[in-house]
Amino acid sequence: MSKKNYYFNNETQDKIKEYQEATSRSEKEKIYVEYIMPAFDELVTKLISVYKYNASNEDMNHLKNDCITFLFETIRKWDASKGKKAFSYFNVCAKNFLIIQHKKKNKARARHVSIS
């Protein structure tokens, strides 16, 4: 029986705690690039495919990168002492970000009037 390789696991959560406690920029960068960013990338990819954001590939990559950047900016806000899993917190943050972006895009599309 093969063991599933979860992209966002306890090690990722521990690395987020380690990232928050790190003092040097190089240490934070190493932790983020090696452990956290791949988990965020996979999380956002899966959310985009589950919620079926239909757009061109360029828009999809732009949306994905914006969402990952948003998650990066929210790392400092997650508090392990509250007893919440990091996956749950970042999953909700990413979902809310994607929903807001989708609503903005739909609102702009509805306002657009074609002259032809």
Side-chain angles (χ1 to χ4, degrees):
M1 182 185 287
S2 66
K3 182 181 175 188
K4 286 189 175 184
N5 185 13
Y6 293 105
Y7 62 92
F8 209 114
N9 53 28
N10 287 333
E11 180 185 21
T12 309
Q13 182 166 311
D14 293 341
K15 291 297 179 180
I16 291 171
K17 289 179 200 172
E18 193 176 316
Y19 176 91
Q20 290 174 330
E21 295 167 357
T23 55
S24 74
R25 185 175 180 177
S26 61
E27 184 181 1
K28 283 185 171 200
E29 184 178 335
K30 183 177 189 280
I31 294 168
Y32 180 75
V33 170
E34 287 183 27
Y35 300 98
I36 301 170
M37 189 172 70
F40 282 173
D41 189 300
E42 191 66 26
L43 172 68
V44 173
T45 301
K46 289 191 184 296
L47 285 174
I48 288 173
S49 67
V50 166
Y51 290 101
K52 300 187 183 359
Y53 289 102
N54 297 326
S56 69
N57 202 23
E58 183 179 317
D59 290 343
M60 198 68 64
N61 288 331
H62 185 74
L63 177 65
K64 180 178 168 185
N65 290 333
D66 284 350
C67 190
I68 291 170
T69 302
F70 174 75
L71 292 177
F72 170 75
E73 293 170 351
T74 60
I75 288 176
R76 62 182 176 77
K77 295 179 183 177
W78 178 68
D79 186 2
S81 67
K82 291 185 177 180
K84 301 287 183 192
K85 295 279 186 184
F87 173 77
S88 299
Y89 178 79
F90 291 108
N91 188 44
V92 169
C93 288
K95 223 183 296 187
N96 288 341
F97 177 85
L98 292 170
I99 289 167
I100 289 167
Q101 295 305 311
H102 186 68
K103 285 181 178 181
K104 281 182 185 178
K105 192 171 204 166
N106 283 343
K107 190 175 184 179
R109 193 178 298 137
R111 287 183 176 172
H112 180 75
V113 177
S114 178
I115 295 177
S116 61

